[in-house]
Amino acid sequence: MSRTRICCVCLAALFAPAALIVVGAPAGGTVHANQQPGKGDQPKNRKPRAQNPPAAPKKEAKPPADPNLLSLELKALRILRALEATPHQISEIARAGKTTAGSGGKREAGKASDAYVEAMVQMRRALVANDEDAVEKLRTQFDELEEKNPPDLDDGVEITDGAQIEAVRLLNIFSPQQVAAYALSLNDDFPDPVHLIQEALQEGHSLKKEEWETARSKVAEEVGWLVYGLQGEKATKLEEQVSAFLDQKHLEEVKPGARDPEIRKLVGSPGPVVVLTNVMQHALAELLSNPQVGKAANDCLPHGGPRPSPGSAAKPAAAAPPAPQNEAKRPRRAESKSADTAVKRVQLEDVVKAPDAYEGQQLQFDNVTVTGTAQGKAPVNLWLAVKTASGTVVNASRDQKLTILIPVAKAPASIKEMKSGDGGGVTVTLICTIQHDRAKHWNARVLSVHEKK
């Protein structure tokens, strides 16, 4: 028998049993593993699998039950919101916070009324959602609750060494617009070392010993880092000098401004750019030291959790590059939220009596006379001394219920060049928005000035 015939006989013998099995299999029999069942072969009680199920929406994270932790998270959320941080920047903060955040340590149990805790929960929700209107309403509610039944919270943040280092680096990922947005969020509470010492001396007369020591230490510490930033030794030395100066001078009766030369000599001349840099680095260091920074950052991200960092092994090769530093566009502030907002013509006297009744509204004051100015707490603002035709006077200071302030950039030359006590005046129409500033104090922030010809 030839070799070809032998091969054919062997192949036939090999495949014949398999052919018999297939032919002999019943119609409803078991399907072998190497067979693909048709649509009609699926059991009737088997449900088809869902293809590509849609991603479940992100569930709102449950706020911590401990009021101390909730308050710490609110502190972190306020800084993130004021910075108008983008998702990429929030991810960077979350990653850094894993190694820089403080442990929190043992804290005394927080004590707060149910209404206050509920307000904190609502504020947390509003900050995460970036709901400007809700945040402003809740600020007023917080002030009322704190005045009625002050909470007792142990929510201090001690800045860590790692946070100081990372704060210097992370400041560079924010755009100039975002830095300006943070400075504007402080409104007229932007800290100035000279003004802080001036206010401490003015308010120190009415404080008892323990209250004075607490207030003095707080001011001295703040002046130290405002002038020298995160430079520990220099800041500590200045803090000690400011404390000694305040203890020596706070009971002396002198005219306002008489000690300005002494104060300026004490703090030196850091300059506004240096102070702004120190304010930003301190805010970031405090954020990175906050034990709740990770939770606050994750809550603000669209899908929760930090994004992969550039160069991370988990990042696909074709992934998009990190977002540019100026990625975020600054949303308009409440004062200019809508160009169509109705302007209400009112008497300044009525607003001075009850500014809370006009909060958030745009008001027009006709025929008022600007008689002088003073430097606001923030270098970008001026306080206005104003007098109405009926004789009502609003001084250029914060020692009253309502202060009228104007950004220097919006002030006409006739007002910029004025000084208190000049005896002259400029008659104008002011369009302002009334903003709650602190407990029992409001600002009438000038949006536009129209001089009367």
Side-chain angles (χ1 to χ4, degrees):
M1 184 180 295
S2 68
R3 181 178 297 176
T4 304
R5 292 187 64 189
I6 292 173
C7 291
C8 291
V9 171
C10 292
L11 289 171
L14 181 65
F15 286 105
L20 291 174
I21 292 173
V22 172
V23 172
T30 303
V31 179
H32 290 278
N34 62 341
Q35 287 184 283
Q36 297 295 326
K39 293 182 180 179
D41 297 326
Q42 293 183 7
K44 293 183 179 180
N45 61 348
R46 179 180 295 175
K47 296 181 181 180
R49 289 184 179 181
Q51 299 295 324
N52 299 325
K58 180 184 175 183
K59 294 182 179 179
E60 181 182 1
K62 187 177 180 181
D66 185 346
N68 287 334
L69 295 181
L70 185 53
S71 181
L72 284 166
E73 186 178 356
L74 287 180
K75 288 185 176 183
L77 287 170
R78 288 188 182 100
I79 296 176
L80 288 173
R81 174 179 174 272
L83 285 168
E84 297 174 359
T86 66
H88 169 70
Q89 292 163 341
I90 295 174
S91 296
E92 287 292 312
I93 289 170
R95 271 189 295 275
K98 291 180 180 179
T99 57
T100 62
S103 62
K106 292 184 178 180
R107 298 177 182 266
E108 296 183 4
K111 299 176 182 178
S113 66
D114 292 342
Y116 193 86
V117 172
E118 178 59 25
M120 286 198 291
V121 172
Q122 296 296 330
M123 178 64 86
R124 175 189 170 278
R125 185 176 294 122
L127 290 170
V128 170
N130 200 23
D131 187 338
E132 183 84 21
D133 293 335
V135 169
E136 292 303 319
K137 291 179 181 177
L138 286 165
R139 282 181 61 189
T140 303
Q141 185 177 344
F142 268 107
D143 288 334
E144 294 172 352
L145 290 170
E146 287 173 355
E147 184 177 358
K148 184 178 180 180
N149 187 9
D152 184 9
L153 302 176
D154 187 2
D155 58 354
V157 176
E158 184 175 349
I159 293 179
T160 65
D161 293 340
Q164 293 183 20
I165 297 171
E166 283 296 309
V168 176
R169 180 185 70 84
L170 284 178
L171 179 56
N172 293 324
I173 73 174
F174 291 93
S175 69
Q177 292 87 347
Q178 289 172 298
V179 172
Y182 183 84
L184 285 172
S185 74
L186 300 178
N187 205 352
D188 209 39
D189 279 331
F190 190 96
D192 175 83
V194 174
H195 288 168
L196 284 174
I197 296 174
Q198 290 171 337
E199 286 190 345
L201 291 173
Q202 292 173 6
E203 298 172 1
H205 298 290
S206 60
L207 298 179
K208 298 178 181 179
K209 183 179 179 181
E210 292 183 358
E211 293 176 333
W212 163 249
E213 290 175 351
T214 301
R216 176 211 61 201
S217 299
K218 182 179 179 182
V219 169
E221 180 184 2
E222 189 170 358
V223 170
W225 64 254
L226 277 171
V227 175
Y228 288 112
L230 302 177
Q231 303 177 49
E233 292 184 4
K234 291 184 177 180
T236 301
K237 184 176 180 180
L238 179 58
E239 180 181 341
E240 294 171 353
Q241 292 172 341
V242 172
S243 291
F245 179 83
L246 290 172
D247 278 337
Q248 180 183 359
K249 305 290 186 179
H250 85 282
L251 293 178
E252 295 180 4
E253 294 284 351
V254 297
K255 293 181 180 180
R259 292 201 184 94
D260 284 7
E262 288 182 88
I263 296 173
R264 295 186 185 280
K265 184 178 179 180
L266 175 64
V267 302
S269 303
V273 175
V274 172
V275 172
L276 176 59
T277 300
N278 292 338
V279 167
M280 294 302 304
Q281 289 181 355
H282 190 272
L284 288 171
E286 182 178 339
L287 174 63
L288 293 170
S289 302
N290 191 320
Q292 292 294 97
V293 61
K295 187 175 189 313
N298 290 343
D299 288 347
C300 289
L301 289 172
H303 303 292
R307 295 179 176 181
S309 60
S312 169
K315 182 179 177 180
Q325 293 182 11
N326 60 350
E327 158 184 30
K329 292 184 178 180
R330 284 179 53 209
R332 291 185 178 272
R333 296 284 165 183
E335 65 188 35
S336 55
K337 189 162 34 177
S338 172
D340 299 327
T341 302
V343 179
K344 184 185 297 183
R345 184 178 276 112
V346 296
Q347 298 297 319
L348 180 57
E349 292 86 347
D350 296 333
V351 180
V352 170
K353 292 176 183 177
D356 51 325
Y358 299 92
E359 185 178 0
Q361 301 181 36
Q362 288 189 14
L363 308 177
Q364 180 172 322
F365 305 127
D366 294 319
N367 297 321
V368 296
T369 302
V370 179
T371 59
T373 66
Q375 177 63 59
K377 287 185 69 175
V380 296
N381 292 330
L382 289 176
W383 292 330
L384 299 184
V386 171
K387 184 176 181 180
T388 68
S390 63
T392 297
V393 174
V394 178
N395 296 314
S397 72
R398 295 185 66 176
D399 300 329
Q400 53 203 359
K401 201 170 186 179
L402 178 74
T403 301
I404 299 176
L405 63 90
I406 183 172
V408 174
K410 293 184 178 180
S414 57
I415 291 179
K416 288 181 185 178
E417 296 168 359
M418 296 178 68
K419 294 183 179 179
S420 296
D422 281 351
V426 180
T427 302
V428 297
T429 294
L430 299 178
I431 296 179
C432 306
T433 183
I434 306 301
Q435 298 175 333
H436 188 264
D437 179 73
R438 60 182 182 181
K440 296 184 179 181
H441 187 266
W442 284 260
N443 285 326
R445 190 175 184 87
V446 177
L447 304 179
S448 62
V449 182
H450 305 282
E451 295 186 55
K452 189 174 180 179
K453 303 299 183 181

